[in-house]
Amino acid sequence: MEPVDSETVVLRPGVLGSEVDCPVRWCRSSRARRVSLRIDARAGAVVVTLPMRTARRAGMSLLATHAAWVMQRLAALAPPLPFAPGVEIPLGGRPHVIRHDPAARGGAFLDGATIVVSGAAEFLPRRVRDFLRAEAKRRIALLAEGHAATLGVKIAAIRLKDTNSRWGSCAPDGTLAFSWRLVMAPGDVLDYVVAHEVAHLRELNHSPRFWAHVERLTPNREKAQDWLRDNGPALLRIG
């Protein structure tokens, strides 16, 4: 998929609705067979995907037809939450306050329910993000190794990504990939996603055998799926 550009489009949700500004990201895809819309929670915009030879006016027509849906979905997004001093962000599902201490050493580290960040203020967002990624890698690796031992499988590697839709994935070569943002979710949610991907090392499908492996590894499936459906998009708005 090739990003084309971004712009603000004026939409009118409903016959009697007033005009509103809508942030739009245009993309072209060689695999797309029709024009489609999706909400990019992280960017707070609607993404319009066009087949390679389709004119932009077709995307505008689809936007106009679904204007009410688009604006409703955008309005329902959680407000963006930056990495900044005094901001409270979740870690393991529990609130932690970011505190800037220029004289401290060690980049960013935990002090109880506080994430202390050292150094110059302009480095704070990157250092918080680096801390969360490192903490995600540590927690995910610990869970994955335990689940892999239970199933008698081997993990080729663990990768961290920052995806918009998939919380985890398993490649045919045994590489597991996870969104680092899962470290902000409750522990039982993280455990479920890790167990889900480790189970794919035995069954690279979603057959009854696969789900039996997941049930063996974690009791958190239904609760975690509900939490990710209801709260997952808000994690994309942090940082």
Side-chain angles (χ1 to χ4, degrees):
M1 184 177 297
E2 300 179 7
V4 178
D5 59 47
S6 301
E7 65 174 323
T8 298
V9 171
V10 177
L11 296 180
R12 183 188 294 275
V15 177
L16 300 178
S18 57
E19 292 184 341
V20 292
D21 291 339
C22 175
V24 178
R25 294 176 56 202
W26 297 93
C27 293
R28 289 196 180 274
S29 172
S30 59
R31 295 182 295 176
R33 296 294 175 264
R34 59 183 177 82
V35 181
S36 64
L37 308 176
R38 68 175 177 85
I39 301 300
D40 184 338
R42 188 183 313 165
V46 59
V47 178
V48 184
T49 300
L50 303 171
M52 298 304 292
R53 296 184 180 180
T54 299
R56 187 175 293 197
R57 64 176 176 272
M60 289 296 299
S61 177
L62 190 64
L63 267 175
T65 301
H66 296 281
W69 176 85
V70 168
M71 299 312 299
Q72 182 182 31
R73 290 290 303 275
L74 290 176
L77 292 176
L81 194 63
F83 293 144
V87 170
E88 191 174 81
I89 63 172
L91 177 60
R94 298 180 178 179
H96 287 67
V97 176
I98 298 174
R99 178 165 63 85
H100 182 215
D101 185 350
R105 295 178 178 272
F109 55 90
L110 278 180
D111 181 11
T114 301
I115 300 174
V116 181
V117 187
S118 64
E122 60 264 31
F123 300 133
L124 184 143
R126 176 179 60 80
R127 288 185 168 175
V128 173
R129 187 174 293 106
D130 289 347
F131 165 77
L132 292 175
R133 287 181 65 96
E135 189 66 12
K137 186 67 175 288
R138 183 186 70 82
R139 297 187 185 194
I140 288 170
L142 187 63
L143 290 168
E145 289 164 4
H147 290 322
T150 298
L151 292 186
V153 294
K154 290 187 178 181
I155 301 168
I158 295 176
R159 311 289 186 206
L160 293 184
K161 297 184 177 182
D162 194 5
T163 54
N164 285 324
S165 56
R166 302 184 67 181
W167 297 109
S169 62
C170 175
D173 68 355
T175 297
L176 304 182
F178 300 92
S179 168
W180 63 263
R181 294 175 181 274
L182 284 166
V183 75
M184 296 186 282
D188 53 0
V189 175
L190 178 62
D191 178 65
Y192 162 71
V193 177
V194 174
H196 184 115
E197 301 310 329
V198 170
H200 276 313
L201 295 173
R202 287 289 297 272
E203 297 286 340
L204 201 55
N205 52 53
H206 288 99
S207 66
R209 289 192 303 272
F210 164 78
W211 289 114
H213 291 313
V214 174
E215 295 295 335
R216 180 183 175 191
L217 296 177
T218 178
N220 300 316
R221 175 185 170 185
E222 292 187 4
K223 180 180 178 182
Q225 289 176 335
D226 290 344
W227 192 95
L228 286 170
R229 182 193 64 242
D230 296 338
N231 303 284
L235 298 184
L236 302 176
R237 303 287 282 164
I238 301 176

